[in-house]
Amino acid sequence: MNPTGPTVLGLTATDIGTLAAALATFFVLVTIYLAATVRDPMAKRVRALNDRREQLKAGITASASKRRAKIVHQNDTTDRMRSLLSSMKVLQDDQLKAAQKLLAQAGIRSKDWAIAIIFGRLVLPIVIGGGAALLIYGFDFWPDWGGMKKFGVFAGALLLSYKAPDLYVGNMVTKRAAAIRKGVPDALDLLVICAEAGLTVDAAFGRVSRELGSAYPELGEEFQLTSIELSFLTERRMAFENLAERVKLDALKGVVTTMIQTEKYGTPLASALRVLSAEFRHERMMRAEEKAARLPAIMTVPLILFILPTLFVVILGPAACSISKAF
């Protein structure tokens, strides 16, 4: 039976409407499932903090000079990945340390995922790149493409599949750093209040983490973990350095440097933190002003493409109709 009426890629209006309804139903079901199975993110954070506390109690953490990147074997899948990578001589300590640092900056406490990232770098190019090569060169899926275009698509798929784990985790790191940046000035103000009230540094970090846990959960988690490490580590400097390594944020590195200097030289903590807080608030205001200054340039393209044509139609449309009737 031949279709009647206009078609798009062989699909009639009824077929397109049916597909659109099916997609809408699917997304509604997915939304209902996600809303019904929502989990409390604080439970996972509290569990990670308790695990870190138990590790410090057991004496697992060594000094910074003797610390080595190690994997905690928690499941057989990670063990098999590690065995395969070790047998192929591609599991190196520097790569493992870099992956663990990136995961810590993304808020992932489990070190098992470092093995998964390195394994993904090895497997994804084979799977995706091999699939692209099979479609392009094996089955000749796009016969109209030239040789350079085919090679470009294959090379792009190969490179993107290799960088996909790092891009995904790097995106998580960027979002987490942006969320932490918003709460740093408020956290410094609370630290100043706690220091002037006579609280110790570890107690001040714990108090600030409880106060900011609901508004800035990422920053509250990091401060709570720092408070735990300050209570258990033999060197307090190590706890501050760990905080700077876990968060990819220059502003927080400045706070860490100030805390280390006050611990070393005994300088007043409240005055230094007050100056840092004022600088961060000024920096946040300058960043907001910069975004506001870029707004006219960003709005130029939507203004030309969408707003001005509609405005011309509304203003010049009646005049054009009057002129056409006159002639």
Side-chain angles (χ1 to χ4, degrees):
M1 180 178 179
N2 296 326
T4 59
T7 60
V8 178
L9 298 177
L11 300 175
T12 62
T14 304
D15 297 334
I16 295 176
T18 304
L19 291 176
L23 288 175
T25 304
F26 173 74
F27 286 121
V28 167
L29 292 176
V30 170
T31 304
I32 294 174
Y33 172 77
L34 293 177
T37 59
V38 63
R39 297 179 179 178
D40 186 10
M42 293 303 298
K44 185 177 180 181
R45 296 189 177 101
V46 171
R47 192 182 308 113
L49 294 174
N50 291 332
D51 292 341
R52 180 59 175 171
R53 183 184 289 109
E54 294 299 327
Q55 289 179 2
L56 292 172
K57 285 183 179 179
I60 295 177
T61 305
S63 61
S65 61
K66 298 180 181 180
R67 186 174 50 195
R68 296 181 65 234
K70 296 181 180 180
I71 294 297
V72 179
H73 312 305
Q74 295 181 351
N75 51 61
D76 297 335
T77 304
T78 305
D79 293 339
R80 286 195 292 267
M81 289 181 184
R82 192 188 75 259
S83 300
L84 178 61
L85 294 175
S86 299
S87 62
M88 298 178 66
K89 307 296 183 182
V90 295
L91 187 61
Q92 301 177 0
D93 290 340
D94 54 350
Q95 292 181 349
L96 200 58
K97 292 178 181 179
Q100 290 175 0
K101 182 178 179 180
L102 190 64
L103 288 173
Q105 292 175 352
I108 301 175
R109 306 300 178 194
S110 176
K111 295 182 179 180
D112 289 337
W113 287 99
I115 290 292
I117 288 178
I118 300 175
F119 186 77
R121 294 174 186 169
L122 176 66
V123 173
L124 288 179
I126 298 175
V127 175
I128 299 179
L134 187 63
L135 290 176
I136 294 173
Y137 297 106
F139 296 108
D140 197 13
F141 206 77
W142 295 280
D144 298 335
W145 288 4
M148 185 60 67
K149 188 175 182 180
K150 291 182 178 180
F151 177 76
V153 172
F154 169 70
L158 197 66
L159 181 62
L160 184 61
S161 59
Y162 175 77
K163 298 296 292 183
D166 294 332
L167 291 176
Y168 178 74
V169 180
N171 187 31
M172 294 177 62
V173 171
T174 303
K175 291 182 178 179
R176 193 166 187 269
I180 291 176
R181 183 187 292 111
K182 296 178 182 178
V184 171
D186 297 335
L188 291 181
D189 289 339
L190 289 177
L191 281 177
V192 170
I193 295 173
C194 293
E196 291 178 345
L199 293 179
T200 59
V201 177
D202 49 349
F205 270 87
R207 180 67 179 180
V208 172
S209 67
R210 290 193 298 271
E211 294 293 335
L212 296 179
S214 57
Y216 308 103
E218 294 84 3
L219 184 59
E221 180 186 3
E222 292 297 336
F223 272 36
Q224 183 64 37
L225 187 56
T226 304
S227 175
I228 294 172
E229 291 183 346
L230 285 171
S231 301
F232 288 97
L233 291 179
T234 56
E235 298 181 9
R236 299 170 66 87
R237 179 190 181 95
M238 188 191 305
F240 296 124
E241 291 177 350
N242 292 339
L243 175 61
E245 290 181 359
R246 290 194 306 267
V247 181
K248 190 178 181 181
L249 191 62
D250 294 335
L252 206 57
K253 287 182 173 60
V255 176
V256 168
T257 303
T258 302
M259 300 297 294
I260 292 175
Q261 289 178 352
T262 54
E263 288 281 339
K264 183 176 181 180
Y265 301 108
T267 55
L269 178 61
S271 58
L273 291 179
R274 189 178 291 107
V275 172
L276 284 176
S277 176
E279 291 180 357
F280 293 154
R281 290 187 183 279
H282 181 65
E283 180 184 357
R284 187 166 63 179
M285 183 61 66
M286 290 181 61
R287 192 180 298 111
E289 292 176 354
E290 181 183 355
K291 290 182 179 180
R294 290 205 312 263
L295 188 61
I298 296 175
M299 288 296 296
T300 301
V301 176
L303 182 67
I304 295 174
L305 293 179
F306 303 107
I307 299 177
L308 289 181
T310 306
L311 188 62
F312 288 154
V313 170
V314 172
I315 295 176
L316 301 180
C321 293
S322 301
I323 292 173
S324 63
K325 289 180 180 180
F327 285 98

